[in-house]
Amino acid sequence: MSSPQIRRADRAMSNERTLETLARGYSGRLATVSEDGFPYCIPLLYLWINGEVYLHTTSAGGHLRANIERDQRVCFEVDEQEGVFDYGRFECDSGLAYRSVCLFGRIRIVDDGEAKQLFCEALMVKYGKPGTKRPRGFFPRLDVITVYAIAVERMTGKEHPLPPLSEQWPAKDRTKTPHASWPTNGL
């Protein structure tokens, strides 16, 4: 699996940490390209199974399905945030502590009924309510969902950890605003 160059190489995550972030993420955003060339992006629950991203939607046709049928190339993004922190004395001198994974690949429809059943079972393990009294393993609407799998061709992971308080403003001033001074108008 190749990884494209990322601008902030100092924020690159190791392959192991990237895969851990992807495996534990809650939801992600799937991006396709519409017929008119505009991007189309939707949030979805997902599973990371055997080196592929699995997700599902309704089997009813729509914008997403039309895009996928026309062009199987997709981008999928997952992120986690730890919070915003101050690094300088001006309001705009703020940063976001985060982890993100961005992957590119080709998406396909999973038609096999047994594979769809296994997907739904794994989905409930990840997202279902613990201790539910509802019957397990019974999915009467398998025929009205579409399960997709993304074969990953390249992936990147980036992170910017939350700095310790001793590295945040006011303990340390890392103001980046050039030629700025404190406002004198009382703001």
Side-chain angles (χ1 to χ4, degrees), residues 1-184:
M1 172 178 356
S2 69
S3 295
Q5 293 286 72
I6 58 175
R7 185 181 64 81
R8 292 294 308 264
D10 60 317
R11 294 193 179 163
M13 287 193 291
S14 68
N15 192 44
E16 180 180 325
R17 186 135 166 93
T18 297
L19 294 175
E20 287 171 2
T21 301
L22 187 58
R24 80 167 171 261
Y26 187 79
S27 66
R29 279 141 299 281
L30 176 67
T32 61
V33 179
S34 299
E35 186 176 13
D36 60 6
F38 279 94
Y40 179 67
C41 183
I42 60 170
L44 294 167
L45 301 178
Y46 74 95
L47 298 171
W48 175 247
I49 303 172
N50 298 325
E52 293 188 309
V53 171
Y54 285 79
L55 20 91
H56 77 293
T57 64
T58 176
S59 61
H63 199 158
L64 177 70
R65 181 68 176 259
N67 291 351
I68 290 171
E69 287 175 352
R70 194 180 78 302
D71 188 343
Q72 290 76 41
R73 293 175 300 167
V74 296
C75 178
F76 188 74
E77 187 272 344
V78 174
D79 58 77
E80 301 174 341
Q81 62 86 23
E82 285 188 64
V84 175
F85 61 91
D86 298 334
Y87 62 77
R89 62 186 175 274
F90 300 106
E91 188 174 26
C92 60
D93 293 330
S94 299
L96 175 67
Y98 68 91
R99 276 180 296 288
S100 69
V101 175
C102 193
L103 60 86
F104 304 87
R106 297 186 191 272
I107 195 167
R108 70 182 186 285
I109 294 172
V110 177
D111 284 325
D112 178 67
E114 186 177 326
K116 288 171 76 171
Q117 175 76 24
L118 292 172
F119 166 80
C120 287
E121 290 172 3
L123 195 70
M124 291 299 97
V125 168
K126 183 175 179 180
Y127 297 103
K129 283 175 125 178
T132 185
K133 303 296 184 218
R134 299 181 302 170
R136 294 187 182 272
F138 179 63
F139 303 100
R141 292 187 296 279
L142 279 180
D143 59 337
V144 297
I145 67 167
T146 300
V147 175
Y148 300 96
I150 302 171
V152 179
E153 295 178 13
R154 59 184 200 221
M155 177 174 12
T156 59
K158 286 174 44 176
E159 69 181 327
H160 188 210
L162 186 65
L165 290 175
S166 62
E167 294 295 314
Q168 296 180 39
W169 187 85
K172 187 169 274 186
D173 188 351
R174 296 183 186 278
T175 298
K176 291 187 179 183
T177 308
H179 312 294
S181 60
W182 287 97
T184 58

